[in-house]
Amino acid sequence: MAVVQVTVFGLTLWFGCYLAARSSKRPGLRYAGWGLIAYAGGLAYLLLEPALPVSAIRPLALLFPGLFWLAAIYSFTPNVSAYQVHRLFGASAALTAVTLAAALLLDALTLVVFVPIGGLLFALISVLRHLRELPRRPLIILLVATTFFVLSLGLLLLPTAVLMHTLVFLGASGDLLLLGYALAGLDAYEEGTLLWRDLLRSFTLNGIVALVFGGQVVISLHLLGLGAAALVIGLPVIATAITLVTLFDRLQAGLDRLTFPRQSDLSEQRAELRSVGDAVLRVNSTVDFTTLSSAEFTRYTRQALSHAQNLDKLATSPLTYLPLIDQRLAARGADASLLERAKELRALLRASIERLKPHEGSGFTDEWRYYNVLYFPYVAGLKPYSRRLDADDLDPAARQALDWFANAVPERTLYNWQATGAKLVAQDLRDQLERLTTP
């Protein structure tokens, strides 16, 4: 049983770190990753401290992941902002803290389980309301896994003798892993990227590292006759190895900033090259644009526009394999590397945005709204609602645009106009593609 528990611990920790480190605009994957990491911490406690009174700890081992996961699931509701997700998590955490305090006073700790159960059901219903807008397979996995995880939380209401059975927590681990896979699948669908190649590579690498490092420690301690200490020492070694390998790119970025504090360009270039290398595993180069629906093409375009400031993220877009990109690369005699494709896609998107200008010059009337909501955030890099934005560093046109966003464009209106503008850009790209492919 110990081997199974250690294996489940390593798998849970790895997948949690993988989701937390996965480059995504959605906060949901980070919440999902933190939930798995929190649950892995609970499993480690159960493995390393069997002599302690775990009856009060085991409910918390399911409670904290439940809080993270309700935010993770809710984040995949279409049109829900990151602020709404953070607010839901904060409100749930505060309500849980109050309920937990009351439960401790009443000596009824299991009562606190109703908060994450209610939150998970609310988040799931919010997602299911948009059933037709999401892919079927990950949605089914999400529904099944969430159902079983809610049932696992419901086990907290059972007597302690049942709750303390290790199989309950191993079963909850399976639910969490399925939930993580479903959310990662939904994120890959939204981004138009592939999941399995990057996931398989990370799983294989971490499995080898955990086996090599953890195996050496366990074998050495066993040969020394320290069988009981093998788990106590081997588990932290396995956890450290998995964490370092999975978060290696993030650690490299931090190390570059620490080593070259005055050479930010060098750190950014190294980070971009690493990200583009990872993008090779994620980009879907097999999309058939001739049969792709208008809605799918528009979704890819919207995602590409949102990544226009970051070549490393733009490189994961399937639009990098548009025939238009091949034509542009051939025209200037450039190689067909993913980085060059991303540069051409960015130029193509910017040219399409420029065609949205009603006439030469600039303006902030209604006829300029689609151009402005795409150009300033996606080309000029303006973040109109950021509290950290220093208007003194902006040029006169950007300051004028910032005033226009602040006084005339609510955040929800910006989102709607950007969606419409993305449709116009997508239509322009499709028209160019049709002219290219039509004899």
Side-chain angles (χ1 to χ4, degrees), residues 377-392:
Y378 297 147
V379 178
L382 184 67
K383 298 180 179 180
Y385 306 111
S386 174
R387 296 180 180 180
R388 295 179 292 181
L389 182 65
D390 188 356
D392 295 335

Side-chain angles (χ1 to χ4, degrees), residues 293-328:
S293 69
S294 177
E296 289 286 286
F297 194 93
T298 300
R299 182 167 58 83
Y300 290 157
T301 303
R302 178 70 187 273
Q303 290 296 336
L305 286 169
S306 67
H307 294 324
Q309 288 287 312
N310 301 295
L311 278 178
D312 54 337
K313 295 182 178 180
L314 188 60
T316 63
S317 172
L319 297 184
T320 53
Y321 284 88
L322 275 170
L324 293 168
I325 302 297
D326 294 322
Q327 181 193 46
R328 294 170 68 98

Side-chain angles (χ1 to χ4, degrees), residues 121-194:
L121 292 176
F122 166 77
L124 189 61
I125 291 172
S126 298
V127 173
L128 292 179
R129 288 173 58 191
H130 302 270
L131 190 63
R132 297 182 179 179
E133 303 175 39
L134 297 171
R136 183 176 181 84
R137 183 176 179 181
L139 198 60
I140 291 174
I141 297 174
L142 178 68
L143 175 62
V144 173
T146 305
T147 301
F148 279 103
F149 186 55
V150 169
L151 292 175
S152 298
L153 285 170
L155 291 175
L156 296 176
L157 302 175
L158 296 177
T160 304
V162 176
L163 178 63
M164 291 186 65
H165 201 292
T166 305
L167 292 178
V168 171
F169 284 83
L170 294 180
S173 298
D175 298 335
L176 289 174
L177 291 171
L178 281 175
L179 278 169
Y181 176 77
L183 293 179
L186 288 172
D187 179 73
Y189 169 80
E190 290 290 332
E191 296 286 335
T193 59
L194 298 176

